[in-house]
Amino acid sequence: MTYMDLIHDERFNRLLEKYLNSESQGIDYKEYFNHFSENLNKKEIIVPVLGIQGAGKSSFLNSILMEDNILPTDVDETTCVPVEVRYGDNVNKATIYYLNGHKENVGIENLEKYVHNDYNRANNLQVSKIVLYNKSEVLKDNIVLVDLPGVGSLTPENQRTTLEYVNKLVAGIFMIRTNPPITRTEKNFINALWPKLSNTIFVQNKWNDESSEDAKEAKEHNEGVLSSISYAHNQDKEINVNVVNVYEAVKAKFTKDKDLYDRSGIVNVIEAIRNISKEYNKELIITLSQTVYEALKNINDKIETYKILALNESNENSSEKEEKIKEIKLILSENKKKIRSCRFYAEEELENIIENSSKIIKENIENLRLDLRRIVNKGIVDGNRLSLIYKDISDKAINNIMDDVLALISNLIKKLNTELGDITVKGFDGTYENISFFNKESSIKFEKSLPTALGLSTGIVGTIGAMGILGPAGILVGMGISLAFSLIGDHMRKKIVENRASYTLKDLEPMIEDFENYLKEEIIGDLRAKGQEVDESIKELKSNLEKTFKDDMEIIERQYETSYNEEHILEFEEDLRLLKEMISGIED
């Protein structure tokens, strides 16, 4: 018997319903298994391109498939309906499918009228999908690439379209950004889809104004967040984020510049897309098999627990129940204190950083002022030469300020992670430990079990996984916070430099005062925003933990409140026998 045979076996489904369904905490095993089995052996493999609005999804598809800029690629919200690109010869026509069942063919030059949000606002035309045909080699092996509205779309109807579309699929390409890297909104979206997707490609778009250092730092952050999500779903996938300069890929595609196309990074992604069709069924079966195995183990553990309860005397069970609940209540109480302490610490330290940052800005501006006065006193009072000197000196001031603020932030991250490390969570083996315990190298071997067996939200489990990957910054990354990156990356430096460069030298002192105020507004404003983000994330962690432990207590109450007799014991033994029979009958 194969795993596929097992998920259709009435005996297995009865045990699933009996022991896991009532306490699945959001996971519907039958729906999960059906989702994967229905996608096996499909003639076409539909691969949507997913991502936040403005991540470059349409440009990415243009760079792979099109000989011209067919899909709309404005900076603002564009795609409002799914656009499927299939292999075929009729490349000058598009088929428009409507929600009422009708369809029509239009010229490719009229596509924008149906797909662009400016012309078809919130899909007022009631288009179900649009199908284009393309002779790209990428599509030859039954691959269908799909452009979808972005996550975080300004139009709720467009976002709903994306979520409904991808709910039926098992493969996808996620477009993520270099700056900012994966945000909490994106993390939540990826986390929600993760169990459904067995084959995923991650593409990080690097625009021309983003440096290689930006891209490298963002790639490390993004891979850390994705690994934390993988851990949260009890998977040990090797995460690889492909960095692609989509602008250069599009330019090279349209100008037929092969060297530039290769350098853009797009070729590796094309190869990965082709591999989806080669490994499609294999990946599905592996994912399905792992989940079935984990479900079998969870059923076994649940039956064993009930059997022990049935064999114990009533007074033993009552005493044991009280001890377990007392332990959880104590952990919950201690966690509240620790989290309250973490919030207070983060708020206090950020205020100190803001105060120190103001001093750093003031000190560097004063040094800039003194340097300029010294230069003016030497006789350089106007013209291009003074302008160039001003730019050099102010560049130095900006870099000094940003480096000093980075040092303050890095210190906060290190200390805050230490504080968060004292919070107690439930590990993969069911034991309660401090988060920091899971960061000890080789100190624990995570058993294979579904997140539902943990009594933990995926966000918290993901936090544990991130620690081992990113070290000191791991907990914050697991919570979806990229505190340092968005504040002190080259993007912020460039923004300040560009703003600075727009000043004239008509009046030196007011110009310097304006520059100082601008620095304070940008840096202090970003610090306050990040402080709010950290506080909201810690509160969310507190809420998730409280729910987890309260759910644990309710489960314990239900387990112990039932009266068991000899018939129950026989029933549990029979179910165990049946389970072991099914496990022994599974082919390797």
Side-chain angles (χ1 to χ4, degrees):
M1 179 167 58
T2 65
Y3 282 108
M4 281 301 301
D5 295 328
L6 188 63
I7 65 172
H8 297 298
D9 191 308
E10 185 276 331
R11 299 171 301 166
F12 174 66
N13 282 285
R14 182 177 63 80
L15 292 178
L16 267 182
E17 186 71 27
K18 185 175 180 179
Y19 292 104
L20 296 185
N21 188 53
S22 61
E23 296 174 8
S24 62
Q25 299 180 3
I27 298 292
D28 185 333
Y29 286 91
K30 286 187 178 179
E31 192 275 334
Y32 182 90
F33 294 142
N34 287 339
H35 171 76
F36 280 97
S37 59
E38 286 171 4
N39 277 280
L40 274 170
N41 302 314
K42 280 199 168 180
K43 184 179 177 182
E44 288 184 324
I45 303 168
I46 297 178
V47 183
V49 180
L50 307 160
I52 205 82
Q53 173 195 327
K57 299 182 297 298
S58 299
S59 295
F60 169 75
L61 281 172
N62 280 332
S63 74
I64 292 177
L65 303 172
M66 307 303 177
E67 299 304 323
D68 199 357
N69 210 40
I70 300 297
L71 298 172
T73 56
D74 296 351
V75 173
D76 297 327
E77 182 172 0
T78 51
T79 309
C80 64
V81 296
V83 181
E84 298 180 354
V85 188
R86 290 185 160 87
Y87 186 80
D89 294 325
N90 199 3
V91 297
N92 296 316
K93 295 289 182 183
T95 304
I96 315 297
Y97 291 82
Y98 293 95
L99 293 172
N100 62 10
H102 292 310
K103 68 176 181 177
E104 65 172 320
N105 291 321
V106 300
I108 203 79
E109 67 277 4
N110 296 316
L111 181 63
E112 199 168 51
K113 172 185 171 184
Y114 302 91
V115 73
H116 201 299
N117 198 62
D118 283 354
Y119 304 103
N120 184 15
R121 186 73 181 172
N123 195 20
N124 287 329
L125 295 176
Q126 297 292 289
V127 175
S128 168
K129 67 179 180 181
I130 296 170
V131 175
L132 306 179
Y133 293 95
N134 188 281
K135 292 189 284 188
S136 170
E137 292 291 318
V138 179
L139 305 174
K140 264 194 170 180
D141 293 326
N142 300 318
I143 294 284
V144 178
L145 293 176
V146 188
D147 192 15
L148 289 171
V151 183
S153 168
L154 300 175
T155 313
E157 290 82 359
N158 293 353
Q159 181 158 305
R160 197 177 307 118
T161 297
T162 293
L163 295 174
E164 288 173 356
Y165 192 92
V166 300
N167 197 42
K168 311 168 210 171
L169 308 177
V170 293
I173 300 169
F174 278 101
M175 290 291 297
I176 51 184
R177 297 168 294 182
T178 291
N179 202 327
I182 293 175
T183 62
R184 291 176 68 198
T185 299
E186 290 171 290
K187 177 177 182 281
N188 291 337
F189 176 65
I190 296 170
N191 183 53
L193 290 182
W194 197 275
K196 299 249 178 179
L197 301 175
S198 66
N199 203 321
T200 314
I201 299 169
F202 297 100
V203 178
Q204 178 183 308
N205 188 7
K206 173 189 173 296
W207 295 115
N208 272 358
D209 63 348
E210 293 165 336
S211 69
S212 297
E213 190 61 32
D214 278 342
K216 181 181 177 183
E217 188 176 352
K219 176 180 164 74
E220 290 175 0
H221 173 90
N222 289 333
E223 287 180 343
V225 173
L226 294 170
S227 294
S228 78
I229 296 172
S230 180
Y231 271 87
H233 292 280
N234 196 28
Q235 295 176 359
D236 193 19
K237 287 186 178 179
E238 183 178 344
I239 304 297
N240 177 51
V241 171
N242 299 274
V243 178
V244 176
N245 187 322
V246 171
Y247 173 81
E248 287 190 352
V250 171
K251 180 182 175 183
K253 178 78 171 178
F254 298 163
T255 59
K256 301 188 182 340
D257 187 334
K258 185 179 183 306
D259 289 340
L260 181 61
Y261 199 67
D262 291 343
R263 291 198 306 273
S264 72
I266 196 73
V267 176
N268 290 337
V269 178
I270 291 173
E271 186 60 30
I273 295 171
R274 286 176 173 153
N275 285 337
I276 288 179
S277 62
K278 296 175 186 174
E279 305 290 333
Y280 181 74
N281 278 339
K282 179 183 174 183
E283 291 287 344
L284 256 65
I285 291 170
I286 289 173
T287 302
L288 196 59
S289 301
Q290 287 175 345
T291 309
V292 171
Y293 170 79
E294 291 160 354
L296 289 168
K297 182 183 182 303
N298 289 334
I299 292 170
N300 182 82
D301 292 347
K302 195 75 71 174
I303 297 173
E304 291 284 7
T305 299
Y306 284 127
K307 185 180 173 184
I308 290 169
L309 290 174
L311 290 170
N312 283 345
E313 295 292 335
S314 177
N315 59 346
E316 288 181 63
N317 283 341
S318 178
S319 175
E320 192 175 281
K321 180 188 78 171
E322 293 304 320
E323 283 298 317
K324 286 185 176 182
I325 290 176
K326 183 179 177 182
E327 178 193 7
I328 294 173
K329 284 182 176 178
L330 181 61
I331 291 171
L332 193 55
S333 174
E334 289 297 315
N335 273 347
K336 284 182 180 179
K337 293 177 186 175
K338 291 168 184 173
I339 289 172
R340 195 181 305 120
S341 173
C342 284
R343 288 185 65 196
F344 177 77
Y345 172 79
E347 182 181 0
E348 189 176 56
E349 282 301 302
L350 273 163
E351 283 302 319
N352 289 336
I353 288 173
I354 287 169
E355 184 180 340
N356 287 328
S357 295
S358 294
K359 292 177 181 176
I360 289 167
I361 293 169
K362 187 175 183 64
E363 180 184 323
N364 278 274
I365 290 296
E366 187 57 36
N367 290 337
L368 181 146
R369 184 179 284 114
L370 290 172
D371 286 343
L372 285 174
R373 283 175 182 167
R374 192 160 45 246
I375 289 166
V376 169
N377 289 336
K378 288 181 178 179
I380 302 172
V381 293
D382 59 14
N384 291 333
R385 190 176 173 193
L386 181 58
S387 177
L388 291 171
I389 290 171
Y390 166 71
K391 287 180 180 180
D392 287 342
I393 294 174
S394 57
D395 276 351
K396 180 182 175 184
I398 291 166
N399 285 323
N400 286 342
I401 290 166
M402 300 305 282
D403 288 344
D404 288 346
V405 173
L406 170 58
L408 294 173
I409 289 292
S410 297
N411 194 44
L412 168 65
I413 290 173
K414 191 181 295 183
K415 289 182 178 178
L416 187 54
N417 273 291
T418 301
E419 294 281 326
L420 289 166
D422 289 334
I423 294 168
T424 302
V425 297
K426 192 176 181 182
F428 283 98
D429 62 349
T431 60
Y432 296 104
E433 299 287 353
N434 291 346
I435 293 177
S436 58
F437 173 82
F438 296 96
N439 201 30
K440 295 174 184 175
E441 190 173 356
S442 302
S443 65
I444 185 169
K445 180 180 179 181
F446 294 133
E447 293 184 14
K448 282 286 181 182
S449 57
L450 286 175
T452 52
L454 311 177
L456 285 173
S457 76
T458 54
I460 299 167
V461 184
T463 295
I464 297 168
M467 287 199 63
I469 298 154
L470 292 188
I475 299 176
L476 289 178
V477 169
M479 291 162 67
I481 301 173
S482 54
L483 186 64
F485 183 89
S486 64
L487 178 69
I488 48 73
D490 281 349
H491 179 73
M492 171 65 87
R493 295 180 195 257
K494 287 173 186 171
K495 184 179 177 184
I496 292 172
V497 168
E498 287 167 4
N499 187 285
R500 177 287 321 275
S502 68
Y503 287 111
T504 67
L505 293 173
K506 290 179 181 177
D507 192 337
L508 201 61
E509 187 56 39
M511 178 193 70
I512 294 173
E513 287 180 4
D514 285 347
F515 182 45
E516 180 178 3
N517 290 333
Y518 172 72
L519 284 170
K520 285 181 178 177
E521 181 182 334
E522 286 295 319
I523 295 174
I524 304 303
D526 201 8
L527 280 169
R528 292 199 185 282
K530 287 299 173 185
Q532 183 66 31
E533 183 183 346
V534 169
D535 190 60
E536 290 296 325
S537 295
I538 294 174
K539 285 196 290 186
E540 184 181 356
L541 178 66
K542 175 177 176 285
S543 175
N544 288 338
L545 281 169
E546 286 179 354
K547 183 181 184 305
T548 293
F549 289 122
K550 285 176 181 176
D551 287 346
D552 277 0
M553 287 189 283
E554 288 178 9
I555 290 169
I556 290 169
E557 289 281 4
R558 288 198 298 271
Q559 286 177 339
Y560 283 89
E561 71 186 9
T562 306
S563 297
Y564 298 102
N565 54 37
E566 187 66 29
E567 287 183 8
H568 287 108
I569 296 172
L570 293 173
E571 180 184 342
F572 296 142
E573 288 178 344
E574 174 58 23
D575 286 346
L576 275 174
R577 184 199 63 76
L578 178 62
L579 186 70
K580 287 171 181 174
E581 180 183 307
M582 285 189 286
I583 292 172
S584 65
I586 296 173
E587 300 169 4
D588 291 333

